[in-house]
Amino acid sequence: MGDPIVLDGKTLAKATEAELAQRVARVVERSDGALPVLATILVGDDPASATYVKMKGNACRRVGMDSRRVTLPEATSTEELLAAIDALNDDPAVQGILLQHPVPSQIDERVCFDRIALEKDVDGVTALGFGRMAMGEPAFGSATPAGIMRLLDHYEIPIEGRRAVVVGRSPILGKPMAAMLLNRNATVTVCHSRTRDLPAVVGEAEILVGAVGRPEFIRGDWVREGAVVIDAGYHPAKVGDVELASAIPRCSAYTPVPGGVGPMTIATLIAQSVEAAERRIGIAS
Ligand code: NAP
């Protein structure tokens, strides 16, 4: 087999940002100079979450948007977080709201996600948005799986009729990923911690998505020859959820770690924020 295709999220994200900057300029022009705003909410002291929020704010500024940071203490209650979300829902200057996951354990994260107004749910985290997306109705998709779909489409990876295996079923990654692949007519299997004989199920995948949250948990020798390998994981040792070094010689395409899924998540969040801003003033994208 020839060298696999590198699904280069970093380069695609950069190109996406260049296109978004032009769309933002058009929105600003038609809004009397007011910049579209993405509000980010960070609760607590998790350093990784703080880094992600900072990266998202920086991406806003690169495309000419503004970002408004809301930072709440570790001891924040569900009611206090809901009040902060309500204020942003009611603020006409804010087009998109991102609540950084995970929040501290005393907070009911699902209730808080679901408080975000549907038209401002640019990170695609509400149950209503998920349901609409799964039904094929217009809604912003969850940013990480939606970014993966953009990457697959950019590289013209065929999806229809192919066997896809998603390892992980979290509300913001595995489940919406499975729904998006199903909407595109893949035959989808979703694996989780109770799945029996995971290596055998993974071995059937023509499109494999690793979304487990454990470093190099999916072994390279489980991967089917010619598979497309999408690794959503990212860990401090700069490895993902798939043992990529041994998967690469077997696969036909793969996302590098870092530089694959991560940049596409941010680019998709920003793209959906720009779309929300365009809709607000009645410009079709
Ligand atoms: P999560 O909420 O912890 O979910 C992990 C999933 O993996 C769960 O569904 C769990 O199954 C499953 N799992 C755990 N152990 C397993 C096992 N032994 N066999 C099979 N399945 C197992 O994680 P997440 O938020 O979806 O994140 C997953 C990964 O993606 C992480 O590495 C995270 O860092 C990464 N991520 C990246 C981005 C990005 O922008 N690049 C964004 C979000 C997440 P159960 O449901 O049965 O517990």
Side-chain angles (χ1 to χ4, degrees):
M1 198 188 295
D3 285 343
I5 301 165
V6 180
L7 305 172
D8 181 348
K10 195 172 169 188
T11 301
L12 179 57
K14 213 169 170 187
T16 304
E17 282 187 9
E19 183 242 328
L20 291 173
Q22 293 181 7
R23 284 169 51 188
V24 172
R26 196 160 58 130
V27 170
V28 174
E29 201 181 285
R30 301 213 190 162
S31 314
D32 296 328
L35 303 188
V37 176
L38 171 69
T40 62
I41 310 176
L42 174 65
V43 189
D45 314 315
D46 177 44
S49 291
T51 303
Y52 291 136
V53 167
K54 197 170 161 196
M55 288 165 75
K56 290 165 186 175
N58 291 343
C60 278
R61 282 183 283 280
R62 283 199 300 273
V63 301
M65 287 180 59
D66 206 355
S67 85
R68 186 187 303 173
R69 276 188 81 159
V70 176
T71 309
L72 297 171
E74 185 76 32
T76 300
S77 66
T78 300
E79 287 66 32
E80 287 164 337
L81 180 51
L82 288 174
I85 294 168
D86 285 343
L88 296 171
N89 281 339
D90 292 342
D91 187 338
V94 171
Q95 281 84 0
I97 301 172
L98 166 101
L99 170 58
Q100 183 64 41
H101 162 84
V103 294
S105 57
Q106 77 278 7
I107 294 175
D108 186 333
E109 186 179 72
R110 176 49 40 208
V111 165
C112 293
F113 274 157
D114 285 340
R115 192 68 154 248
I116 297 172
L118 186 66
E119 69 277 10
K120 297 190 181 187
D121 179 23
V122 292
D123 202 28
V125 294
T126 60
L128 182 56
F130 174 86
R132 290 183 59 83
M133 178 278 293
M135 292 297 166
E137 296 294 324
F140 295 122
S142 179
T144 302
I148 291 170
M149 297 305 287
R150 280 170 180 263
L151 198 52
L152 291 172
D153 286 341
H154 176 79
Y155 283 93
E156 298 180 343
I157 303 289
I159 298 172
E160 181 163 320
R162 294 182 101 184
R163 294 193 73 94
V165 174
V166 180
V167 188
R169 58 172 168 181
S170 72
I172 58 163
L173 218 177
K175 273 186 192 154
M177 183 81 257
M180 286 175 197
L181 289 165
L182 183 61
N183 283 350
R184 295 285 298 275
N185 299 317
T187 300
V188 185
T189 303
V190 184
C191 302
H192 46 77
S193 62
R194 322 287 161 83
T195 296
R196 275 183 283 151
D197 199 0
L198 185 64
V201 184
V202 166
E204 290 181 1
E206 295 173 289
I207 299 174
L208 172 66
V209 182
V212 201
R214 297 181 177 205
E216 299 193 319
F217 175 77
I218 299 170
R219 304 274 298 274
D221 60 5
W222 300 355
V223 171
R224 177 173 169 160
E225 287 284 340
V228 173
V229 176
I230 306 295
D231 191 345
Y234 184 62
H235 303 281
K238 294 196 176 171
V239 296
D241 289 351
V242 181
E243 194 186 36
L244 271 182
S246 51
I248 287 170
R250 306 168 72 90
C251 70
S252 60
Y254 70 97
T255 54
V257 179
V261 173
M264 288 309 297
T265 297
I266 297 182
T268 302
L269 168 73
I270 304 302
Q272 297 191 149
S273 303
V274 173
E275 202 179 320
E278 289 172 336
R279 278 194 206 160
R280 172 70 75 83
I281 57 168
I283 317 183
S285 56

